[in-house]
Structure formats: structure tokens, C-alpha cells
Amino acid sequence: QVQLVESGGGLVQAGDSLRLSCAASGRTFSTYAMGWFRQAPGKEREFVAAISWSGVTAYYADFVKGRFTISRDNAKNTVYLQMNSLTPEDTAVYYCAARARGDTATTPLAYDYWGQGTQVTVSS
């Protein structure tokens, strides 16, 4: 069992930056692919970014390429999402997720464990 706790969300203005963190429990974190998803009110949960267990490979949704960066520190059992040039369209609850088997994935169904989410609100 893996527990994930997100932090770092908040209220910012358009153009600002935020860094989300996701702390994981358990000694097997370094073997999991990790992902970030987000869900805005009235919308489905959507893929944002994913990173392989080694941190070598990362994937991004088209709408965040060049603005967001996913990274991980396996020694700290933590994955990060650096978000720059935020826009009001980025407003959502952001979730981190862990995938116990397999490589990175972009669909929520591929992930086994989820955090409770952290709210990001971007004002114009």
C-alpha cells in the first residue's frame, strides 16, 4: 500500500509559478512510475505529466509543454510538478498518482494509488 500526499497548491495570479510536491510512503516508491492529473469543476480528470521510475523519461500533455516540469527525488520519496506561466485555465484540483506495474501512462485507469489532491487557483 502506498499513501500519497500532495502539497504546494494555492491561489496565484496569471503568469505566476507554483511547485507542487507529492510525498509518498513506502519503500517501493522508486519502482513506481508517477503521474500528475488535474480535474476542474464539471470536467473529467485529465493527464498533466508522468515520469518513469528512474526519472529518465517524462511525458507531458500538450497544453503544459514548455510550462510545466515533472521531476522526482527517489531518496526523498517525492515527485514534483513545477508549474510556470500559469493561466486561469490551469485552475483545478491537482492529483498525483502512482503506478505499481509498467511504465508511464497517460490514462487515470492505469494508476493504482492516488493522493487526495491540492487546489490550484489562478486568477486573471
Side-chain angles (χ1 to χ4, degrees):
Q1 188 73 16
V2 174
Q3 291 187 330
L4 304 174
V5 179
E6 303 96 335
S7 62
L11 172 63
V12 296
Q13 293 185 333
D16 285 351
S17 298
L18 277 176
R19 188 195 196 200
L20 305 184
S21 299
C22 174
S25 65
R27 290 176 287 182
T28 55
F29 171 79
S30 62
T31 66
Y32 294 163
M34 299 295 295
W36 284 98
F37 292 78
R38 71 185 187 184
Q39 189 166 16
K43 296 187 177 181
E44 294 186 352
R45 191 166 299 189
E46 64 179 354
F47 169 74
V48 175
I51 191 167
S52 62
W53 66 269
S54 65
V56 171
T57 305
Y59 296 94
Y60 298 93
D62 287 343
F63 56 79
V64 302
K65 284 182 179 177
R67 299 190 299 127
F68 293 8
T69 303
I70 189 171
S71 62
R72 66 189 298 162
D73 185 339
N74 286 342
K76 295 182 178 180
N77 279 15
T78 302
V79 63
Y80 305 97
L81 185 68
Q82 177 67 44
M83 307 187 295
N84 299 328
S85 302
L86 287 162
T87 73
E89 289 69 35
D90 295 316
T91 295
V93 177
Y94 283 71
Y95 299 89
C96 72
R99 190 177 189 207
R101 296 178 179 85
D103 208 341
T104 54
T106 61
T107 176
L109 291 176
Y111 288 81
D112 303 289
Y113 304 102
W114 291 84
Q116 292 187 329
T118 185
Q119 176 71 48
V120 172
T121 303
V122 185
S123 64
S124 58

